[in-house]
Amino acid sequence: MQSVNQTSVSHFILVGLHHLPQLGTLLFLAFLAIYVLTVSGNGLIILTVLMDVRLHRPMYWFLCHLSFLDMTISSAIVPKMLAGFLLDSKVISFGGCVIQLFSFHFLGCTECFLYTLMAYDRFLAICKPLHYASIMTRSVCNYLALGTWLGGTIHSLFQTSFIFRLPFCGPNRVDYFFCDIPAILRLACADTTINELVTFVDIGFLALTCFMLILTSYGYIVAAILRIQSVDGRRNAFSTCAAHLTVVIVYYVPCTFIYLRPGSQEPLDGVVAVFYTVITPLLNPIIYTLRNKEMKAALRRLGALRKVWTH
């Protein structure tokens, strides 16, 4: 296998989303609006949790991590996409492509682990309420959150180094709107069968393991909720868990479509990728605020506090 120092490609050209030229400005405005709403919405969740002491609990601490991940994932992809729409700037340096691919998979894998951790937190809160406070202490929460970031780092370092050790000698047109594994592998000047298999097994194993752990947690949670005597108690528990489960499904289905089909080159891949890189980070704050009474109450208190400050 040739090493990366034999690579002759110094930059890549991101073809981007296929669209009519006259739609460039409209798409720029649409994605800009989504990006601004994503950053502001997730930023508002972080601010609300930090400002409201009633939300200083493990569930909302992990929600802050999720909001930060959503902001950074969107920021790793959307600005370059916007430049392509408005300025027709489609060139990305080789190093820039490496950084973008590493950042996306680092953040995405961390988010995958975080969803699993959030499901475990809900399992403890609902199924073992008497032991919850003693188990999910602040130090334990910090170590668990740190573990998700460390796991994402290791995964992304492995994937990125394994891909960019391949030789790239041309062509350099990436038929995608960002540097991602399937699109980059198609440009390598070597047999990528092993890379495709490793990507399939690695991402498939992680995604399937995390998803099965989440489903197992929610199996116990549903059984525990059905035993709750109070109607309001069941409703509140279902509401909180439904928000998390909705976000998990929205995240996992598109990722499965993209990465668990080796050698896929369908045009639909780009549309699906837009969903989990651009739309999903916007949906998360909407889902969590609309379905969570505590978050809505905290937002109202923050709004009232803002009015006091302005006066």
Side-chain angles (χ1 to χ4, degrees), residues 196-197 200 258-265:
E196 292 175 4
L197 180 61
F200 179 83
I258 294 293
Y259 296 107
L260 300 190
R261 297 176 304 130
S264 171
Q265 300 186 34

Side-chain angles (χ1 to χ4, degrees), residues 24 42 70 101 108 155 264:
N42 284 289
D70 283 332
L101 189 145
H155 164 79
S264 171

Side-chain angles (χ1 to χ4, degrees), residues 43-61:
L44 182 60
I45 285 180
I46 295 173
L47 177 63
T48 303
V49 173
L50 293 178
M51 294 287 291
D52 197 320
V53 294
R54 303 179 197 184
L55 300 182
H56 289 182
R57 305 203 303 272
M59 171 183 170
Y60 296 103
W61 169 241

Side-chain angles (χ1 to χ4, degrees), residues 57-76:
R57 305 203 303 272
M59 171 183 170
Y60 296 103
W61 169 241
F62 297 141
L63 181 57
C64 281
H65 281 264
L66 179 62
S67 293
F68 181 77
L69 285 168
D70 283 332
M71 286 195 298
T72 47
I73 285 177
S74 187
S75 298

Side-chain angles (χ1 to χ4, degrees), residues 76-139:
I77 305 298
V78 178
K80 187 63 181 175
M81 182 193 299
L82 293 176
F85 286 137
L86 190 64
L87 305 175
D88 202 30
S89 175
K90 299 180 181 295
V91 176
I92 184 170
S93 67
F94 188 90
C97 188
V98 173
I99 292 172
Q100 190 180 58
L101 189 145
F102 170 81
S103 300
F104 176 71
H105 283 273
F106 158 57
L107 298 167
C109 185
T110 301
E111 190 161 324
C112 180
F113 291 143
L114 185 62
Y115 284 133
T116 310
L117 180 55
M118 293 173 76
Y120 176 67
D121 172 70
R122 290 299 84 204
F123 161 75
L124 290 177
I126 294 174
C127 299
K128 299 182 181 296
L130 299 179
H131 302 91
Y132 179 73
S134 61
I135 296 175
M136 295 299 285
T137 62
R138 176 171 294 187
S139 59

Side-chain angles (χ1 to χ4, degrees), residues 23-36 82 85-86:
L23 294 179
T25 303
L26 181 61
L27 288 172
F28 169 82
L29 294 174
F31 280 100
L32 177 62
I34 292 173
Y35 179 63
V36 171
L82 293 176
F85 286 137
L86 190 64

